[in-house]
Amino acid sequence: MTKLWGLMRTRLLGSLVLFSWSLQVAASLNGGGWTVKHEAGRCALKGQCGKKSFFGGQLPCPDNSLAEEPDDGTREKLVAICGDHWGHGVVCCDGDQIDALSTNLKRAESIISSCPACKENFFNLFCTFTCSANQSLFVNVTNTQTANTGKLIVTELDNLWSDDYGKGFYNSCKDVKFGATGGKAMDFIGGGAKNYTKFLKFLGDTKPFGSPFQINFPRPTSGNFTNMTAANPAVKACNDTDEAFRCACVDCPGSCPELAKVSEHRECHVGALPCLSFAVIVVYGVFLLLLTTAVSAHIAYQKHSKRKSERLQLLQDAALSDDEDEGDDVRHAGMLEKSQGQYWINDYCDAAFKKMGFICARFPSITISTSVVVVAALSIGWMNFAVETDPVRLWVSPSSAAATEKEFFDTNFGPFYRAEQAFLVNDTHSSGPGPVLSYDTLAWWFDLENRVQRFRSMKEGISLETVCFNPTGEACVVQSITGYFGGAFANVDPDTWRKDLRHCTEQPGSQECLPDFQQPLSKDMVLGGWEKSDDILDAEALITTWVVNNHPQGSEGEAIAMDWEEMLKNLLQDAQREAKDRGLRLSFSTEISLEQELNKSTNTDAKIVVVSYIIMFLYASLALGSTTLTVKSILHKPANAMVQSKFTLGVIGILIVLMSVSASVGLFSACGIKVTLIIAEVIPFLVLAVGVDNIFLIVHEFERVNLSHPDESVETRISKALGRMGPSILLSASTETVAFALGAAVGMPAVKNFAAYAAGAVLINALLQVTMFVSVLSLNQRRVESRRADCFPCIRVDRADNRRHGTQYGYEEEGGLQRFIRKVYAPSLLKRKVKVTIVIVFLGIFTAGLALLPAVALGLDQRQAFPRSSYLIPYFNDLDDYFNTGPPVYFVVKDVDVSERIHQQELCARYSTCRSFSLTNVLEQESKRSDISYITGSTASWIDDYFTWLNPANEECCIEHGETCFAGRNPPWNITLHGMPEDGEFLHYLPKWLSSPTNEACPFGGAAPYSNALVVHTNSTKNPIPASHFRTSHTPLRSQSDFISAYASARRIASDISESQNITVFPYSKFYIFFDQYASIVSLAGTLLGSAVFIIFFLTSLLLGSLATGLVVTVTVIMIVVAILGTMAVVHVSLNAISLVNLVISVGIGVEFCAHIARAFQFPSNTVLAKAPHNLVGRMGRGRDARAWASLVNVGGSVFSGITITKFLGVAVLAWTRSKIFEVYYFRVWLALVIWAAAHALVFLPVALSLAGGEGYIDPESEGSLEEDLNARRYRSLLPDENDVDSDDY
C-alpha cells in the first residue's frame, strides 16, 4: 500500500505527542528549583531551553512563575490553533511554543480531522497542557537535567487529568478510521491502546521516535498530589449534540442511524426436528394407526363371518353341481377376465410401429445404411467439438447478474489479483500441532522467500518483480512474517526476535515493523493457530501470500504470470521435501493449481469411467443370449450355443447406443453448444440405461413371438414384436426426452447443455433402436434359422437345431430368472398381506425421504473435485484452519454522476451532510453486525479520502501552482461540504488526486489505493464517472454455507442501498461467480423436477389411456426421487449443479424403470395373462392383480436384467475411483438411483397398480386369429398345478 503507516508515526510520536513544549526557566527560581507552588495563575514550565543531545528535540525549562499576557502576535497564533476561547487571559506559553504546537497539531489533524470531537479533545489536551494559565495545578515537574545549552531542562513530569476527561478523550477517538486502508487512528496516536490509561501512557512514554522526555499521567486517586487539581475541561463526545463536534458514523458508532432489522431466514423446528420432518412423521404415524385399526376390525369381522358361515354350511349341501364346477373351470381359465376395450392412440401406435418393423425387417440393408449415413452426417459436427472447462462458464448463466457484474468489474477495474499462498505448519508430530516459530525455522523461511524473489521461470525467464502487484512502484506486495523484519534475516536478532515480533504484531504500523511495500501486516494474515493460547509465539502456522497482477484471459500478460507460477509451483514442491526434513509440513496453492488439479482428476476418472462402460457393454452383450440359451439346452446340444448366441447382436446394440451419443454430440456441437465434463461422464451412462433396456425388451418380445408364431415370416414376427414394444419405447423415450428438454430452458450452462445433449441422445437412440436395431435383429434371426455361427456367420453349424424356436411350448427354453418371476416372485408379491406390508414399507421410505429433505446441504466443497493425492487438499484444510482473514468485497456504483453534490452525499460518510443511510454509512453499520452481514472492517471510501486530500490543513497534499489548494478559498474547506468542489471543479482536481502518491507527506494520495477504483472520463458530457467501487471485507468464511450466506447478505445490502438512495449498486467478490447458482438452485430444482413430473403424468396418462395408471407411475417416480434426496442427506451429498443433473437423470431413469411395466399392465398380453394363477383372476376385483402379475412376467425380467444389473455393474466399478467428486456425486447417487428405482419399479409399482391402476385395454398384438387364440389357450391348459397358489384372504 503506502509508506504512510510508519512514516507518519515517526513524526507524530516525535513531535505531535509532546510538541517540544518548552518554557524558559524563570530567573526567579534561583538556580533551577522545580514546581514549588501549585496555584491558579502559575506555570510549571515555559519556553524552549535546549536538547538532551544533538539529535534530540527541544525540551521545556522548569518555570514556576506567574502566567503572563501574550503579545498580539502570540495571541493570534494561539487563537488560530486552539480556538476562540483562548482569545483573552494570561497564558504559560510563548510564540515559539505555539509555532511548534501549531505545526505538530496540524499533522495530527490530518489523521483525526474527520472526527471533530476527537480533534477538539486532542487539541484541547495539548493546548491546555502547553498554555493553560493554571498549569501548575495539574503539572508537576519531577526531574530535570542540564541541556547542551547549559540551561536546565525538564526530563520528567506528572500531568494530572481527570478520569472523566481521559475516558471521554479515548472514547471520542477509539473508533476513528484513517485513510484508504481503514486502519484506526488509535494505532497511530495511541499505539493501538484498548483503554484510556494505556492511551495516555503511550502519549507520555519516552521513545526514540516519540516523546523526548517522560510525561506521566497518574490517576488522581493513585497518590497524594498536594495542592494539585486534575485538569477536567469539558470533553466532547463523538456523538455530541452540537453538530459542530458530531463525528460521522464511520468514526463513531453512537452517531450511526439504526439499520432496519434483517429478517433472518430461520427454519421452523419442533424441538430438534424441522417442521417438515415432524409433520410427515406425524402423518405417517397417523396412517399406521388408522391402518392397524382397519386391519384389526377387518380380521374380527372375518372371524365373525366365518363362524356364521360354518353354522349355515351345516344346513346346506356343500357339493357343487356339475354345471357349477364347469362354470368355475371356464372362469378360472381367465378368458372372461381379459380386457375388452380398445384405446385408439395405442392402436394407432401399434399399427405404425408394426408397419415400421415390417419395412425395416424387409429392407435391412437400406435401413442400416440410411441410419449410418444420418448418424455420420450428424457426427460431422464433431469438427466444432469443444469442451468447456472454465468454471465460470459452467455454473453461471452468461445473462445472470453474477456473470454480467463480473464482466463489468473486469472490464472497468481489471481482473482481480492472482494470489499465490503457502502455509508452513508444525503438525507432523504424534503429539499434535505445536508452535512453528523458531530462529532456525525463520532462517529457512527467509531463505525460501529470497529464492522465490530471485528465481526466474524456465520458459520466459520471468521473475517475481515482473509479475507482482507493486502499487507504490518500490516493492512487491508479499504478505509474510518476514515483512516485520524488513525482508532481511540480518534484522532478526537471535536474542530479541520474540520481543520484536510481539511488538510488531501488536503495533503493525510502527515504522520499524512496516514491510517494504509500507502496508501494515495484520497478524491474522501472516500467522495462524495462535488464537488457542492468545500468544503469538505459539502460532502453529506461517502464512505467506504473493500478490500477482492479473490480466484478461488469453492475454500475453496472463501467459507470463502463468509461466512464473509454474516456476513457483516447482520451487514450493521442492520446499515441501525440505520442510519434511525439518519436521514441518508445507502446503501451497498457485493461481494455476486449481485448473491443473481439476484436469488431473478428470484424466484419472476417465479410466474408471471407461472400465465401467466396458463392463456394462460386455454384460449386455452376453445377457442377451440368455433369452434363448439355458444351461440345460447348452448341455443337451452344445452346438446350439454357437448359433443361438446373441453376442454380436448385443455388441451392435451397444454400438447403436454409442452412435446416438455421437450423433447428439455432433448435432449440438454444430450448434455451438459446448460439451462439459458432466456431459462426457453422464450421457453414456444415461443412454446406456435407456438403450440397453429397450434392446432387452425388443429381443425378449421377439423370442416370445417366435414361440407363439413359429410359422410366420421373419418380417411378420419382427413387426408383431415391435408393434407390441414400440409404444412402450415411445412412452419412455417421449417422457424422458421432453423432461430433459425442459432443462434446456434453464440458464445454468452445466444443466442447460446437459439437458440438450441428453434429450437429443435419448431421442436419437430410440429412433435407431426401432429402425436400425430391428433391421439387425431380422438379419440375426435369418442367421439363426440358417444355422450359422454367431460372430462368424460364414461358418454353418450343421449339428445345431434347425428349429426356429425351442421346444413346442417354450417352457424348457424359459430362463431361470423368468421362471422365478412367474412361479415365485410375482404370485408372492401380489398376496394381500404382502401388498399391505409393501405399501407400509415404501410409504415409510417416502416419509423418511421427505423428513430428510431439510438435511440436504447446499454447496460443493472444492476439495472433493481433486484426486485424493492432490497437494491442494492439505492447502485448503490449512486455509480453513489457520487463515483468519475474509475475502475482499467491492460494492460497485454504476451510472452515478458523483460530480453532483446529491450523489456525493449518497456515497460519503465523513461529512456532516452525508446521508444517514449513504453507501459508506450503511457498510459501516453492517460491519458492526458481522454475524448477520458477514461484513467486517472499514470501508475504503474514495470520495471521503478525495475530499480529505483537498483539506488545506494537509499542506503537502493538494498543491497547485506552488500553493496549497483551497488555502484562502471562500467558502473554505469544511465538513459540511458547503462550497466543496462540484461539476467541473470536482473533475479538475480528481485526476490530480488519482495520480498523487501516498507517502509520509500526504497519506491521502489516491495513486496507490484508488488508481483502479474509479473510471473517469473527464471529457464526457453525460457521466464523467460511470463506475467506481468501495472496498471492504467479508468475515473469515469457513464452510460452503458461510460462502452462500455471505453472498446472499452482500446482495441484500446492495439492494437496500440501491433502493434507499435510488442508485445502482452491486457487490462483487472473486468467489461470487461460483456461488451464484445457490441463490436459485432450490427453486430451480423444484421447477425442473416439478415440470418433469407434470410431463410424466401428462404423457403417461395420454399414451396409456388412464389417468389412474398415469398417476400411479408419476407418484412412483416422485417416490424414487424423494428416496434419492433422502439418501443424499444421509451420505452427505450436497445439492449443486452436479447433483441437480443427477436428479434430472433420476427422473429419466425412474420413468424408464416404470414405463414398460405400466404399459404391460395397461395393455396386457393375453398369451401371458392366460397363465395367471387362479387366485389372481378368480374373484371380483382381482383383474388388476392378474394384469400386475402379467406385467411382471412379461417385462420384469427385461427391466431387471436390462437396467438393474447393467447399471449396478457399471456403478460398482466407480467405487474404485480416486476422485472424491466421483465417489460422492456419481457413485453414491447412482448406486442409490439403481437400488431405489429397481425397488420401486419391481416391488412397489406392481402392487400400486394392482390397488389403484386403471382399466386395461386390448393389446392388438394379442388379438389374432382363432388359431392364435387357441395357441394362447393351450399354454394355459398345460400349466402345471404348482402355478395354482392358494388365496391369502384373511
Side-chain angles (χ1 to χ4, degrees):
M1 179 55 183
T2 70
K3 290 186 176 180
L4 154 70
W5 296 91
L7 300 179
M8 285 301 298
R9 179 182 298 278
T10 302
R11 302 182 67 175
L12 287 173
L13 299 184
S15 53
L16 169 73
V17 177
L18 298 176
F19 321 117
S20 302
W21 6 75
S22 307
L23 295 171
Q24 186 73 36
V25 176
S28 59
L29 289 179
N30 295 325
W34 298 340
T35 312
V36 178
K37 296 182 179 180
H38 297 281
E39 60 185 13
R42 188 172 293 276
C43 304
L45 57 153
K46 182 189 284 188
Q48 297 177 346
C49 295
K51 305 177 181 179
K52 283 186 180 181
S53 64
F54 179 79
F55 296 101
Q58 288 287 335
L59 297 181
C61 301
D63 187 341
N64 204 202
S65 64
L66 294 174
E68 299 174 349
E69 280 283 346
D71 57 45
D72 292 342
T74 301
R75 175 73 70 184
E76 185 177 350
K77 293 178 182 179
L78 180 60
V79 171
I81 188 65
C82 293
D84 293 338
H85 57 282
W86 292 89
H88 56 84
V90 295
V91 296
C92 288
C93 58
D94 60 18
D96 292 338
Q97 284 182 282
I98 295 175
D99 288 340
L101 178 66
S102 176
T103 299
N104 293 297
L105 286 181
K106 284 183 178 179
R107 295 195 182 105
E109 187 177 13
S110 66
I111 296 175
I112 60 177
S113 61
S114 62
C115 181
C118 177
K119 172 190 170 184
E120 173 66 16
N121 294 330
F122 193 95
F123 277 40
N124 195 21
L125 185 143
F126 289 109
C127 286
T128 302
F129 172 69
T130 305
C131 297
S132 173
N134 300 319
Q135 190 182 66
S136 64
L137 289 178
F138 56 89
V139 174
N140 183 47
V141 177
T142 58
N143 204 357
T144 62
Q145 74 175 51
T146 303
N148 55 2
T149 60
K151 298 180 181 179
L152 202 63
I153 54 175
V154 177
T155 58
E156 185 175 2
L157 58 79
D158 290 336
N159 193 3
L160 196 64
W161 288 75
S162 69
D163 290 333
D164 290 340
Y165 190 88
K167 292 177 183 177
F169 178 26
Y170 173 77
N171 289 335
S172 68
C173 296
K174 66 179 181 180
D175 294 306
V176 176
K177 308 301 187 303
F178 174 69
T181 62
K184 289 190 175 182
M186 187 57 65
D187 292 337
F188 289 89
I189 63 174
K194 303 301 181 183
N195 55 56
Y196 77 96
T197 56
K198 291 184 178 180
F199 178 28
L200 295 176
K201 183 178 184 300
F202 182 85
L203 292 177
D205 283 348
T206 303
K207 303 179 186 67
F209 298 101
S211 173
F213 68 97
Q214 181 66 35
I215 301 179
N216 302 312
F217 286 90
R219 308 297 2 106
T221 58
S222 63
N224 183 19
F225 301 101
T226 306
N227 298 325
M228 294 182 67
T229 303
N232 189 28
V235 66
K236 301 297 183 182
C238 67
N239 61 341
D240 203 277
T241 55
D242 187 343
E243 289 293 335
F245 300 105
R246 189 176 181 86
C247 302
C249 171
V250 294
D251 295 325
C252 178
S255 298
C256 294
E258 184 176 357
L259 295 179
K261 291 186 177 180
V262 178
S263 55
E264 294 184 75
H265 176 68
R266 297 184 179 274
E267 294 184 355
C268 174
H269 280 77
V270 178
L273 287 177
C275 290
L276 174 62
S277 306
F278 179 80
V280 295
I281 291 173
V282 169
V283 171
Y284 182 66
V286 172
F287 164 76
L288 288 181
L289 179 62
L290 293 176
L291 182 63
T292 303
T293 303
V295 170
S296 300
H298 177 72
I299 293 175
Y301 175 76
Q302 288 289 84
K303 289 181 178 179
H304 174 74
S305 298
K306 183 177 181 181
R307 287 194 296 267
K308 182 177 180 180
S309 176
E310 289 174 348
R311 290 194 296 269
L312 292 174
Q313 285 292 333
L314 296 175
L315 303 175
Q316 298 178 1
D317 183 8
L320 295 175
S321 68
D322 292 340
D323 293 339
E324 289 172 330
D325 185 59
E326 182 180 354
D328 278 352
D329 287 342
V330 173
R331 185 180 183 189
H332 286 175
M335 303 309 296
L336 297 180
E337 292 290 331
K338 68 178 182 180
S339 303
Q340 300 297 321
Q342 289 184 321
Y343 185 47
W344 68 272
I345 292 182
N346 184 72
D347 292 346
Y348 176 81
C349 293
D350 179 273
F353 279 107
K354 189 173 182 180
K355 185 175 182 179
M356 180 187 296
F358 188 87
I359 293 174
C360 293
R362 174 63 64 87
F363 306 103
S365 299
I366 295 176
T367 304
I368 293 172
S369 60
T370 301
S371 300
V372 171
V373 169
V374 171
V375 170
L378 291 175
S379 299
I380 293 176
W382 277 81
M383 297 177 64
N384 197 37
F385 178 82
V387 179
E388 184 61 81
T389 58
D390 185 357
V392 172
R393 295 190 179 97
L394 278 177
W395 310 126
V396 183
S397 168
S399 59
S400 70
T404 55
E405 289 164 0
K406 180 183 185 301
E407 182 180 2
F408 182 89
F409 188 93
D410 290 349
T411 301
N412 288 277
F413 308 115
F416 194 77
Y417 308 114
R418 305 173 71 91
E420 336 292 340
Q421 193 171 56
F423 289 83
L424 182 66
V425 184
N426 181 15
D427 64 355
T428 61
H429 306 289
S430 58
S431 57
V436 70
L437 293 172
S438 70
Y439 186 77
D440 291 338
T441 299
L442 286 176
W444 178 71
W445 196 247
F446 270 83
D447 176 67
L448 177 61
E449 290 191 11
N450 287 332
R451 279 183 275 164
V452 172
Q453 293 181 4
R454 296 195 315 268
F455 279 23
R456 294 179 176 271
S457 63
M458 295 294 293
K459 184 177 180 181
E460 299 290 342
I462 304 300
S463 66
L464 174 63
E465 184 179 356
T466 305
V467 298
C468 73
F469 174 54
N470 187 347
T472 63
E474 298 180 7
C476 294
V477 174
V478 180
Q479 297 166 334
S480 170
I481 190 176
T482 60
Y484 289 143
F485 301 94
F489 186 67
N491 297 330
V492 181
D493 190 304
D495 298 321
T496 64
W497 69 267
R498 294 177 178 83
K499 178 182 177 182
D500 296 338
L501 180 60
R502 276 205 175 98
H503 166 67
C504 287
T505 55
E506 292 173 0
Q507 300 176 24
S510 297
Q511 173 65 28
E512 61 274 16
C513 299
L514 287 176
D516 292 339
F517 61 92
Q518 297 299 299
Q519 178 183 356
L521 290 169
S522 168
K523 58 186 175 184
D524 289 329
M525 298 188 71
V526 298
L527 293 168
W530 55 268
E531 303 87 352
K532 299 176 183 178
S533 64
D534 201 28
D535 186 351
I536 206 68
L537 297 179
D538 290 335
E540 298 170 359
L542 295 180
I543 309 168
T544 295
T545 306
W546 295 270
V547 183
V548 174
N549 285 318
N550 206 352
H551 304 273
Q553 191 172 15
S555 66
E556 182 181 358
E558 183 190 46
I560 291 175
M562 293 173 66
D563 181 39
W564 180 82
E565 287 167 347
E566 188 67 32
M567 180 279 297
L568 177 65
K569 185 188 75 171
N570 295 333
L571 174 60
L572 293 179
Q573 286 176 335
D574 291 338
Q576 285 181 324
R577 292 184 285 272
E578 297 176 24
K580 185 177 180 180
D581 294 338
R582 294 175 172 273
L584 304 172
R585 179 177 57 80
L586 175 66
S587 65
F588 72 93
S589 172
T590 68
E591 194 74 16
I592 61 173
S593 296
L594 188 64
E595 185 173 345
Q596 288 181 345
E597 290 299 290
L598 287 175
N599 291 336
K600 184 187 297 183
S601 176
T602 302
N603 295 335
T604 300
D605 296 332
K607 300 175 183 177
I608 298 294
V609 173
V610 169
V611 172
S612 173
Y613 290 148
I614 289 175
I615 289 177
M616 289 189 286
F617 293 165
L618 291 175
Y619 167 77
S621 300
L622 294 173
L624 280 175
S626 67
T627 57
T628 51
L629 287 175
T630 62
V631 175
K632 182 177 179 180
S633 65
I634 294 175
L635 293 176
H636 177 70
K637 187 172 287 189
N640 278 347
M642 299 179 64
V643 175
Q644 296 292 341
S645 169
K646 294 182 177 62
F647 184 82
T648 302
L649 182 64
V651 170
I652 294 176
I654 299 302
L655 289 177
I656 289 175
V657 172
L658 297 180
M659 288 171 64
S660 66
V661 174
S662 175
S664 179
V665 172
L667 173 63
F668 291 106
S669 292
C671 296
I673 301 177
K674 289 187 176 182
V675 174
T676 67
L677 296 178
I678 293 179
I679 292 174
E681 294 159 349
V682 171
I683 293 294
F685 176 91
L686 172 64
V687 181
L688 273 172
V690 176
V692 171
D693 183 46
N694 291 341
I695 290 173
F696 272 76
L697 287 169
I698 293 173
V699 172
H700 287 178
E701 183 61 25
F702 179 66
E703 293 301 329
R704 291 191 186 95
V705 175
N706 279 341
L707 292 174
S708 60
H709 301 80
D711 299 324
E712 298 283 357
S713 66
V714 173
E715 293 87 346
T716 302
R717 280 176 276 155
I718 289 286
S719 67
K720 286 180 175 292
L722 189 60
R724 175 159 179 79
M725 285 297 112
S728 184
I729 294 173
L730 173 64
L731 171 62
S732 62
S734 60
T735 51
E736 291 162 3
T737 300
V738 176
F740 289 142
L742 287 174
V746 175
M748 189 184 299
V751 177
K752 180 178 181 178
N753 295 7
F754 160 78
Y757 278 89
V762 170
L763 178 61
I764 295 171
N765 179 70
L767 292 174
L768 289 176
Q769 285 175 331
V770 298
T771 53
M772 180 178 175
F773 181 75
V774 167
S775 297
V776 174
L777 181 62
S778 69
L779 294 176
N780 182 76
Q781 184 60 26
R782 291 187 176 94
R783 176 193 62 77
V784 171
E785 294 178 5
S786 62
R787 291 183 292 179
R788 294 185 179 277
D790 188 23
C791 300
F792 305 97
C794 296
I795 301 176
R796 183 181 176 86
V797 184
D798 294 328
R799 295 184 179 182
D801 195 337
N802 63 356
R803 290 175 296 179
R804 296 179 179 178
H805 50 84
T807 59
Q808 183 181 3
Y809 304 121
Y811 291 111
E812 288 83 351
E813 299 296 336
E814 186 178 35
L817 174 63
Q818 190 72 15
R819 184 181 300 109
F820 171 77
I821 293 175
R822 180 175 61 82
K823 290 185 176 182
V824 179
Y825 179 71
S828 301
L829 184 71
L830 296 171
K831 290 181 179 180
R832 182 176 298 178
K833 293 179 180 178
V834 175
K835 289 197 290 186
V836 171
T837 302
I838 287 173
V839 170
I840 292 174
V841 170
F842 277 83
L843 286 181
I845 295 172
F846 181 63
T847 300
L850 289 175
L852 288 168
L853 285 182
V856 178
L858 301 180
L860 172 60
D861 190 336
Q862 51 196 340
R863 282 169 287 199
Q864 295 179 343
F866 307 126
R868 289 187 175 91
S869 59
S870 173
Y871 66 86
L872 287 182
I873 293 178
Y875 165 77
F876 282 111
N877 291 336
D878 292 337
L879 190 69
D880 284 348
D881 293 339
Y882 298 115
F883 198 58
N884 292 319
T885 301
V889 54
Y890 302 84
F891 285 84
V892 180
V893 180
K894 57 185 296 188
D895 301 327
V896 174
D897 188 357
V898 191
S899 65
E900 297 180 5
R901 176 76 70 237
I902 184 175
H903 294 312
Q904 295 170 0
Q905 293 168 332
E906 291 168 347
L907 302 178
C908 70
R910 295 187 178 276
Y911 301 91
S912 59
T913 58
C914 296
R915 292 191 178 181
S916 297
F917 293 98
S918 68
L919 183 148
T920 311
N921 274 335
V922 169
L923 293 180
E924 181 66 25
Q925 282 293 80
E926 291 289 357
S927 70
K928 293 177 172 57
R929 54 180 187 184
S930 56
D931 57 325
I932 297 174
S933 68
Y934 293 87
I935 297 292
T936 187
S938 301
T939 302
S941 171
W942 68 265
I943 186 70
D944 289 304
D945 285 350
Y946 171 45
F947 282 141
T948 304
W949 178 77
L950 292 173
N951 187 351
N954 303 314
E955 297 176 345
E956 299 182 52
C957 285
C958 181
I959 299 176
E960 193 172 35
H961 306 302
E963 297 182 359
T964 301
C965 304
F966 281 68
R969 184 179 187 272
N970 188 22
W973 187 96
N974 59 88
I975 64 169
T976 67
L977 294 182
H978 174 66
M980 295 291 281
E982 291 185 87
D983 302 325
E985 187 182 23
F986 183 90
L987 296 174
H988 171 75
Y989 289 109
L990 188 60
K992 298 178 182 294
W993 172 66
L994 289 174
S995 61
S996 173
T998 310
N999 51 31
E1000 173 195 6
C1002 179
F1004 298 100
Y1010 298 116
S1011 57
N1012 63 351
L1014 292 85
V1015 177
V1016 181
H1017 302 310
T1018 54
N1019 297 324
S1020 174
T1021 57
K1022 184 179 179 181
N1023 186 356
I1025 308 175
S1028 65
H1029 68 61
F1030 295 75
R1031 185 185 68 252
T1032 184
S1033 296
H1034 279 300
T1035 56
L1037 306 175
R1038 306 294 187 194
S1039 64
Q1040 295 291 290
S1041 62
D1042 284 348
F1043 282 99
I1044 294 170
S1045 298
Y1047 176 58
S1049 176
R1051 282 279 178 208
R1052 171 189 60 80
I1053 294 170
S1055 177
D1056 290 347
I1057 295 172
S1058 299
E1059 183 177 350
S1060 66
Q1061 302 303 313
N1062 195 28
I1063 56 178
T1064 302
V1065 179
F1066 69 83
Y1068 174 78
S1069 190
K1070 191 175 182 180
F1071 72 88
Y1072 285 176
I1073 196 74
F1074 303 108
F1075 288 87
D1076 180 73
Q1077 58 177 298
Y1078 302 110
S1080 59
I1081 196 167
V1082 174
S1083 60
L1084 175 61
T1087 301
L1088 276 179
L1089 298 179
S1091 301
V1093 165
F1094 174 78
I1095 292 296
I1096 292 170
F1097 174 70
F1098 175 78
L1099 290 180
T1100 52
S1101 300
L1102 178 66
L1103 295 177
L1104 295 179
S1106 171
L1107 291 174
T1109 301
L1111 182 61
V1112 170
V1113 171
T1114 303
V1115 169
T1116 304
V1117 172
I1118 292 174
M1119 293 175 68
I1120 292 171
V1121 174
V1122 170
I1124 293 171
L1125 282 167
T1127 304
M1128 286 171 57
V1130 173
V1131 299
H1132 307 294
V1133 177
S1134 303
L1135 179 61
N1136 49 52
I1138 298 175
S1139 51
L1140 178 56
V1141 168
N1142 283 333
L1143 289 175
V1144 176
I1145 289 178
S1146 300
V1147 174
I1149 301 291
V1151 171
E1152 183 67 25
F1153 268 94
C1154 299
H1156 305 302
I1157 293 176
R1159 190 182 182 281
F1161 170 84
Q1162 202 65 24
F1163 301 95
S1165 169
N1166 284 332
T1167 304
V1168 178
L1169 188 62
K1171 307 170 189 177
H1174 292 172
N1175 68 302
L1176 299 181
V1177 298
R1179 299 197 172 211
M1180 186 67 66
R1182 292 295 182 90
R1184 287 194 296 266
D1185 285 355
R1187 286 189 284 129
W1189 179 90
S1191 67
L1192 279 174
V1193 173
N1194 194 20
V1195 299
S1198 299
V1199 171
F1200 182 78
S1201 58
I1203 304 181
T1204 308
I1205 300 301
T1206 305
K1207 292 296 99 185
F1208 181 80
L1209 291 175
V1211 170
V1213 177
L1214 298 181
W1216 281 271
T1217 180
R1218 289 190 294 169
S1219 170
K1220 192 69 174 178
I1221 197 169
F1222 247 74
E1223 177 199 337
V1224 174
Y1225 290 99
Y1226 294 108
F1227 173 69
R1228 296 180 188 178
V1229 176
W1230 287 356
L1231 183 61
L1233 168 59
V1234 172
I1235 293 174
W1236 290 125
H1240 282 79
L1242 296 173
V1243 180
F1244 176 77
L1245 180 60
V1247 171
L1249 290 172
S1250 72
L1251 296 174
E1255 293 296 326
Y1257 295 100
I1258 295 174
D1259 178 17
E1261 292 306 315
S1262 296
E1263 296 301 312
S1265 64
L1266 176 61
E1267 181 183 357
E1268 291 173 351
D1269 195 38
L1270 292 174
N1271 191 41
R1273 287 172 179 265
R1274 69 183 177 180
Y1275 289 107
R1276 178 77 182 96
S1277 63
L1278 292 175
L1279 283 174
D1281 292 340
E1282 63 184 356
N1283 287 307
D1284 294 338
V1285 182
D1286 294 337
S1287 174
D1288 62 332
D1289 292 343
Y1290 292 107

